[in-house]
Amino acid sequence: MKTLFNILFSVVLGAFCSAQTALGYILKKDDVFVVKQDAKQVIVQTIDGAAHEITNNLNGILEFRVTDTNETNYHIAMRFKDLNLKMTSSIQGELMNVRAKEVIEDDLQSKIFNSLLDVPVALTLAKNGDIVTISGGDSLITKMVQASGIADDFQMNMMKKGLEKEFGSQALSDSYEQMTYIYPQNEVAIGDSWENEYTGKLNAKNKWTLEAISEENTTISGTAKVVMHVVDEANNMKLNGTQRTRITADRTSGFLQLMTVEGEARGTATMAQLGDTEIPTSISSTITYKLINQYHVQ
């Protein structure tokens, strides 16, 4: 038989466990967050039983500086503080090894990467992490083209079109929304789930779950069905797969402390030089975002 204490304890504990809370970003003007990004992507393509594997290793430092706030949104200046890319092929060996801070006089790629650093891109962030608007990608691309030293108008325009797919405003929005767009519109309790979707070259339908919450941290896990669709003059790739995400975020600001995204996708690709031949293709990736510094400018 339960005592009065047992009954009251059960009622209070049950109310505590089922309590709902609002999740989202709570940022202040002049807040600065510095994030280290590490990404590894392995692409495997098979032709007539022979596999070709390309491995991309990318790491960089991103700075997010809150420039203004209002009732619904935050205005943020994002800058690349460092960016490094190494690409290797199982057949051809090292294809690229560029470090943005190390400019090599006769290396076009190093000059282009270096031009990315410390150029602000302005984004408007909703309190649930949706990137409402982003601008500055065009300025970024212009600086990269200027750094290349290319003078021919046709080549410049071709280069701009290629860079827009990775560094244009929309491409940056699609890329970094994966890092920010994690919170629900409504209050939730531990164990509750919610859904959202972001689009781009990677289209992801996400289901998020609040796993734990404390005075210091919020823990969220996510699963997603993803579609990758890449189309350009030389390639056409369409893959389907899944993605798993785990996030530890600061309870006060809502900004991530650690985020890991693991994905796998399979499908086919075609190449212009091979006509309509479909090439079995798979991509596996792991991306980690880690907060390495946080401060408020006085």
Side-chain angles (χ1 to χ4, degrees):
M1 181 175 178
K2 287 188 176 181
T3 65
L4 179 60
F5 175 80
N6 293 141
I7 294 171
L8 288 174
F9 182 79
S10 297
V11 170
V12 172
L13 182 63
F16 176 79
C17 290
S18 63
Q20 291 191 322
T21 187
L23 300 178
Y25 291 95
I26 305 174
L27 309 178
K28 301 186 295 293
K29 184 180 178 182
D30 297 325
D31 280 350
V32 179
F33 304 90
V34 183
V35 175
K36 187 175 190 298
Q37 176 186 357
D38 288 288
K40 181 178 181 180
Q41 180 189 67
V42 179
I43 304 170
V44 179
Q45 295 187 310
T46 305
I47 301 177
D48 294 333
H52 180 205
E53 182 176 300
I54 294 177
T55 302
N56 298 316
N57 286 285
L58 180 144
N59 64 76
I61 305 293
L62 300 166
E63 179 191 87
F64 298 85
R65 184 179 297 260
V66 182
T67 57
D68 201 3
T69 68
N70 57 44
E71 291 183 0
T72 56
N73 299 319
Y74 302 103
H75 298 282
I76 296 173
M78 184 193 81
R79 289 177 172 85
F80 291 98
K81 305 300 289 184
D82 197 9
L83 189 63
N84 308 301
L85 174 62
K86 183 177 180 179
M87 180 186 300
T88 57
S89 161
S90 60
I91 297 173
Q92 300 162 285
E94 187 173 279
L95 301 176
M96 182 187 297
N97 192 352
V98 184
R99 307 183 70 83
K101 288 186 175 181
E102 300 175 6
V103 181
I104 300 172
E105 186 59 33
D106 297 327
D107 189 332
L108 181 62
Q109 291 172 338
S110 74
K111 291 181 179 180
I112 292 173
F113 264 57
N114 179 261
S115 70
L116 283 167
L117 301 183
D118 287 314
V119 180
V121 175
L123 61 91
T124 302
L125 187 75
K127 293 191 175 182
N128 65 351
D130 185 16
I131 296 178
V132 181
T133 62
I134 189 165
S135 61
D138 292 344
S139 298
L140 197 63
I141 291 169
T142 297
K143 191 171 181 183
M144 293 170 77
V145 172
Q146 290 173 345
S148 74
I150 295 174
D152 180 77
D153 288 343
F154 179 79
Q155 289 186 326
M156 286 175 61
N157 290 333
M158 289 293 290
M159 185 177 182
K160 282 182 179 179
K161 287 184 178 295
L163 290 172
E164 281 174 1
K165 295 175 183 179
E166 300 297 333
F167 298 102
S169 293
Q170 188 58 51
L172 290 172
S173 175
D174 295 340
S175 178
Y176 288 102
E177 203 164 48
Q178 173 180 267
M179 193 189 84
T180 63
Y181 192 16
I182 58 175
Y183 289 120
Q185 292 283 11
N186 303 314
E187 293 186 348
V188 291
I190 293 173
D192 284 353
S193 297
W194 62 96
E195 296 181 355
N196 65 20
E197 181 177 2
Y198 48 78
T199 59
K201 285 193 298 185
L202 176 70
N203 186 91
K205 294 183 178 180
N206 303 284
K207 181 178 181 180
W208 304 101
T209 301
L210 176 60
E211 291 197 347
I213 192 166
S214 69
E215 291 184 4
E216 294 82 20
N217 302 318
T218 302
T219 304
I220 296 170
S221 64
T223 58
K225 293 182 179 180
V226 300
V227 176
M228 299 179 66
H229 197 188
V230 180
V231 179
D232 57 34
E233 293 80 4
N235 300 283
N236 189 337
M237 182 186 300
K238 188 166 185 179
L239 313 176
N240 293 276
T242 58
Q243 188 169 272
R244 300 168 302 284
T245 305
R246 188 167 183 82
I247 305 156
T248 301
D250 180 74
R251 184 73 184 96
T252 301
S253 68
F255 206 89
L256 70 86
Q257 294 177 321
L258 181 64
M259 180 177 190
T260 303
V261 185
E262 297 178 320
E264 295 178 353
R266 294 180 179 276
T268 59
T270 58
M271 298 181 182
Q273 63 266 38
L274 297 179
D276 296 328
T277 302
E278 292 189 340
I279 304 166
T281 301
S282 68
I283 297 180
S284 60
S285 62
T286 301
I287 306 171
T288 300
Y289 302 97
K290 183 178 182 180
L291 183 68
I292 59 174
N293 197 5
Q294 176 182 340
Y295 58 94
H296 184 82
V297 180
Q298 300 294 333

